Amino acid sequence: MNRVNTSPILRIDAAGKTYFNNQGVPVPALMPVTAQIAEAEFVSFVGPSGCGKTTLLKMAAGLITPSEGAITYAATGTPIRPGHYGFVFQGAALLPWRTVLENVMLPAVILGLPLHAARERARQLLELVHLGRAASSYPNQLSGGMQQRASIARALLHDPTVLFMDEPFGALDAMTREQLNMELQRISVDQKKTVLFVTHDIEEAVLLSDRVFVFTRGPGQLAQTLEVAIPRPRVVSDRAHPDFLRIVAQIRTLLDRGDTRVEEHA
Ligand code: ADP
Ligand code: MG
């Protein structure tokens, strides 16, 4: 896609976060970040544990408030509202007492949408993520990969424009992960979703993204954003593309440097 010609969908305007611990001592978690996310763009956040990736994702979703700055949905100029986004958490976070179909319908219940139409759409989405036959199963009857597929279907139920995904495939084996990477790509490209995707896995980030935001610790900050110019949709063999290898190496260097700096301060 050509990002330059598309308008921003999210504006991150010097948004930073300081938490307070139990003693009331301020703990800086994320130094101010400024960036714009384009419509239908796929952006990944990578960086070591504790560098503020989840914090930034939750602020972008309006789930927590920035201590400084703001993150706004361009269409309204206010924080994005639940009807406009879907959120996929690290654990699939399915409700164990609801069937897969009922789990996928959950956003309709929460947002007060008509349930008959939601049930139809939930069935279609389960087909889309290859879970059509698991609709009446319970989450504990599904493999980890199937549970994550169900949680992606759930995040898409209300046809949101933006998907926030916090290490959605972190707990899966490498083969399942690669399969889900390709399925997520297919869905996000076909349905023109804007995706903000947190991952520990540099190669996963580069394979999926238009841009990769690299974060470092001590305290968390956005060190650099890197553009991946390989045309999307990508194929698994793009992992051997010279641009792919170059960007992966560049990110590793940034992260190594970040870690060294943390040690120097310690
Ligand atoms: P990441 O997702 O990159 O691992 P987080 O955004 O979860 O990082 O956390 C960034 C920093 O903020 C960490 O030092 C973490 O311990 C701290 N932190 C996160 N949430 C809270 C909270 N609710 N209260 C206090 N500190 C927090
Ligand atoms: Mg996190």
Side-chain angles (χ1 to χ4, degrees):
M1 70 175 260
N2 188 349
R3 233 175 6 89
V4 181
N5 291 335
T6 56
S7 45
I9 190 162
L10 287 171
R11 296 179 200 277
I12 306 172
D13 185 13
K17 185 71 182 179
T18 298
Y19 292 106
F20 290 88
N21 71 11
N22 293 338
Q23 283 77 45
V25 177
V27 184
L30 183 68
M31 305 304 283
V33 171
T34 296
Q36 298 197 345
I37 313 294
E39 264 173 45
E41 191 177 16
F42 197 119
V43 169
S44 290
F45 299 168
V46 300
S49 217
C51 66
K53 305 180 296 294
T54 295
T55 297
L56 183 57
L57 199 69
K58 287 187 172 167
M59 291 197 299
L63 295 173
I64 56 177
T65 314
S67 317
E68 52 194 313
I71 304 183
T72 50
Y73 187 52
T76 58
T78 58
I80 192 169
R81 283 200 276 271
H84 289 129
Y85 71 81
F87 208 111
V88 179
F89 298 91
Q90 178 161 15
L94 301 172
L95 301 178
W97 60 88
R98 286 180 154 248
T99 65
V100 169
L101 184 74
E102 288 165 352
N103 267 283
V104 174
M105 288 176 63
L106 209 57
V109 176
I110 292 168
L111 295 168
L113 306 176
L115 292 186
H116 184 74
R119 186 171 290 110
E120 278 312 297
R121 180 158 166 87
R123 287 197 184 281
Q124 289 164 9
L125 286 168
L126 284 172
E127 293 293 336
L128 182 76
V129 298
H130 309 301
L131 279 182
R133 290 159 70 173
S136 51
S137 302
Y138 286 87
N140 68 4
Q141 298 173 293
L142 269 49
S143 69
M146 290 165 85
Q147 292 184 23
Q148 274 313 354
R149 283 201 177 94
S151 71
I152 292 170
R154 180 175 62 186
L156 291 169
L157 183 83
H158 50 300
D159 198 22
T161 50
V162 182
L163 272 185
F164 296 108
M165 308 182 80
D166 196 356
E167 301 197 33
F169 308 137
L172 305 177
D173 63 88
M175 271 172 65
T176 307
R177 186 173 190 140
E178 193 148 275
Q179 202 175 13
L180 282 179
N181 281 170
M182 290 299 115
E183 286 180 19
L184 171 62
Q185 172 174 254
R186 170 178 59 91
I187 292 166
S188 64
V189 170
D190 286 355
Q191 304 196 5
K192 300 187 172 53
K193 300 299 182 199
T194 305
V195 185
L196 275 67
F197 184 90
V198 174
T199 179
H200 267 110
D201 187 323
I202 298 171
E203 301 205 345
E204 179 177 69
V206 177
L207 186 64
L208 291 174
S209 305
D210 293 303
R211 280 188 300 163
V212 181
F213 288 22
V214 183
F215 293 81
T216 50
R217 248 183 330 211
Q221 58 183 306
L222 176 56
Q224 201 163 325
T225 69
L226 298 167
E227 191 143 356
V228 186
I230 307 166
R232 291 178 69 218
R234 315 243 167 86
V235 289
V236 170
S237 60
D238 281 332
R239 286 173 182 274
H241 193 294
D243 286 353
F244 183 96
L245 299 171
R246 179 179 51 78
I247 295 166
V248 167
Q250 224 175 327
I251 295 173
R252 282 199 211 292
T253 304
L254 280 167
L255 293 176
D256 282 349
R257 241 190 258 148
D259 279 353
T260 312
R261 201 184 55 227
V262 169
E263 277 161 22
E264 281 166 0
H265 281 285

